[in-house]
Structure formats: structure tokens, C-alpha cells
Amino acid sequence: MRITKNTLSPEDLLTLRSAKQKMEQIGWAMQGLNKMGNIIDSRIQLLPQKQRNWLQQITYKVLHTVVKTNLISMNKKAKTTSMNNLYKALVTSSGAIGGALGASAFAVDLTLATKLMMRSIMDIARSEGEDLNSLDSQLACLQVFALGGKSKHDDNLDTGYYATKLAISSTVKGASGIAGKTVTTLLNTTGNPLLQLIAQVASRFSVQVSEKFVAQAIPIVGAAGGATINLAFIDHFQNMAHAHFSIRRLERKYGEELIRLQYEELSVAKI
């Protein structure tokens, strides 16, 4: 039930402040890779255009496949707590295998890690009261992969939370023929706006994918490094998911306009 008042309770204001911190304190796409920042930066600059295009294409394909398979198999019943540590352990294991096998296993590792991260995102959404049977909640899960990309490699993207939400949701907002449908139904329909949305999300997600790719290609990384990179990867998106869905929960309670205004005011004050 939405509350029609213009101030948040102290508890909800603290929740919004925490969400803002998660968005803003990322700084770079994955803080766990900061020590390797200069090496990663130089290697991304040296990637040939053909390889950059490949990373963009594989990111799109992975998201397309993962969204569909997870929504079919995920238990959509309400749950009060999310299993962050379990998913971190699984994604870390995937990174260890991928790191041991080298760049040749990157596509397999990315697919498995993204599938597990998507399930973790849906798990977090469910714990925040989202109805995973609704198209709106399903799209909100996909949007998490576009959040928090505050990297020097995406200077042309507006990475503000509400600006990002607007940019990636305007593609499907008001589109005809999607009312009452699910993501899995739309994915099997050609010429629908959902495919454009996946492409937009993929363009932002590919920033982190590129950083992951060049980091794991460093010879000294190996299995331990691959595990560490994947741990940083899922930690980043779990933080984005917790922030995103707690904000959506507050929007359902107070209305989107009030929460957006409060959020923007918090960005001015010292957090």
C-alpha cells in the first residue's frame, strides 16, 4: 500500500541512503580489481576492434540465453532472505575453473557466471517483495546488469541511477503488444522491444565483461585470480541488486517521484 506523505520514515531514509552509497561507492566497475587498474586499462585500449565486437556480441547472446533459462526455472514464490553467499561460492568456483583454463574458456565461464548472477539478482528481488511473475519485475532484474558501470571506459554513458533506468526502460515503456506477457514469451517473438532492451543492457554490461576478459587474460592470474575476479564481479552486481530493489520497494511505498527527489537530494549531501 502506497503512503501518500512527503517524508520518509527514519528507517526508510536510512535504507535509501544505504542504496545510494552502494551505487556511488562503486567508483569503478569492480573495486576488487582496482589494484590491477592500470594494467587492465592499457590492455583494454590495445584490444582490436574485432575482439571488442566479439565481446559485445557474446555479452548479448549470454544475456539473451540466461534471462530466458532463469525465468523458466527459478522458483518465483516470495522469500524473505537472499542466498548471497551461496551464489558467491558458485560464481567463485566458476572463475577458478575459467582462470585455470585461460582465455579459451572465457565464454563458458561468462555464461555460467552470468546465469548464477542472474539467479542471485532474482533471489534478491524476491526477498525485497518483487513478484517475479510480473513483466515489470523481470525487466527490473535484467536492468541490474546495466547499473553501476562507473568506469573510465564508458565515458559516453550516463551512469546516474535514474538516468540509467530511464534510458533502458524507455525502449519497452508504452510499447504495444507486451501487456500481460512475460519476458520468456517476448523472447520467442521477433520484432519486439525487449530485444532492443537486451542490446542496451549488453552495451553497458560489456564494459565490465571487457574488464573481466583482459584481467583473466593476464598470464599470472590463473585459477586463484579467476576466482577472485569472479568474486568481485558478483559482489558488484549483488550490491547493485540490493540497492535497486530496495529503492523499488520504497517507490512502491511512497511513489517514484518522492523517492527520486529524496535520492537526488542525498547525492548533494555528504554520504
Side-chain angles (χ1 to χ4, degrees):
M1 181 177 180
R2 180 174 296 183
I3 297 176
T4 55
K5 61 181 182 179
N6 56 11
T7 57
L8 278 64
S9 69
E11 181 182 1
D12 288 338
L13 184 60
L14 185 62
T15 297
L16 185 61
R17 184 179 294 274
S18 175
K20 182 70 178 180
Q21 287 177 322
K22 285 184 173 69
M23 292 290 180
E24 294 296 317
Q25 288 182 351
I26 292 301
W28 200 39
M30 292 166 282
Q31 287 186 354
L33 300 183
N34 269 350
K35 292 182 179 180
M36 301 170 64
N38 290 334
I39 300 175
I40 291 174
D41 181 38
S42 62
R43 285 176 176 258
I44 287 179
Q45 298 300 326
L46 293 174
L47 282 177
Q49 190 60 47
K50 183 177 180 180
Q51 199 159 38
R52 296 187 189 196
N53 292 341
W54 174 76
L55 286 169
Q56 179 79 30
Q57 291 168 2
I58 194 175
T59 302
Y60 175 85
K61 290 179 180 178
V62 165
L63 282 179
H64 186 281
T65 301
V66 162
V67 168
K68 182 176 180 180
T69 57
N70 276 340
L71 287 172
I72 290 174
S73 61
M74 186 77 172
N75 184 342
K76 300 179 179 63
K77 292 182 179 180
K79 194 173 183 180
T80 56
T81 57
S82 54
M83 299 183 292
N84 288 355
N85 290 336
L86 172 62
Y87 287 111
K88 280 182 178 178
L90 293 172
V91 170
T92 300
S93 298
S94 171
I97 296 171
L101 296 178
S104 61
F106 179 78
V108 175
D109 172 35
L110 179 65
T111 300
L112 179 56
T114 306
K115 178 180 175 64
L116 292 168
M117 286 191 294
M118 182 64 174
R119 292 188 76 86
S120 181
I121 288 167
M122 294 170 67
D123 187 43
I124 291 168
R126 189 175 52 185
S127 73
E128 289 286 350
E130 296 282 345
D131 178 9
L132 295 182
N133 291 297
S134 74
L135 178 62
D136 180 58
S137 292
Q138 292 171 3
L139 294 178
C141 290
L142 175 61
Q143 290 171 2
V144 172
F145 288 105
L147 297 176
K150 291 175 179 280
S151 161
K152 64 185 74 177
H153 310 301
D154 62 349
D155 291 336
N156 293 325
L157 298 178
D158 190 340
T159 56
Y161 174 64
Y162 277 98
T164 300
K165 280 182 63 177
L166 178 62
I168 61 181
S169 64
S170 60
T171 303
V172 295
K173 188 175 182 180
S176 60
I178 67 170
K181 293 186 177 180
T182 63
V183 167
T184 50
T185 301
L186 289 172
L187 284 173
N188 291 321
T189 306
T190 57
N192 70 80
L194 178 59
L195 299 180
Q196 297 176 39
L197 184 142
I198 292 177
Q200 287 188 12
V201 173
S203 70
R204 293 170 182 260
F205 183 43
S206 65
V207 173
Q208 285 89 4
V209 170
S210 296
E211 291 168 349
K212 172 178 165 61
F213 175 77
V214 297
Q216 288 189 210
I218 297 173
I220 62 172
V221 167
T228 301
I229 290 167
N230 270 22
L231 178 60
F233 215 50
I234 189 170
D235 184 68
H236 166 73
F237 286 110
Q238 284 181 343
N239 281 334
M240 293 300 98
H242 278 292
H244 180 46
F245 291 111
S246 63
I247 290 171
R248 281 174 56 89
R249 174 168 54 80
L250 293 177
E251 289 175 345
R252 291 193 296 272
K253 184 176 181 179
Y254 294 95
E256 183 176 346
E257 182 179 0
L258 175 61
I259 297 303
R260 179 178 58 81
L261 290 173
Q262 292 281 334
Y263 184 95
E264 291 174 351
E265 287 179 6
L266 284 174
S267 68
V268 175
K270 184 178 180 181
I271 300 177

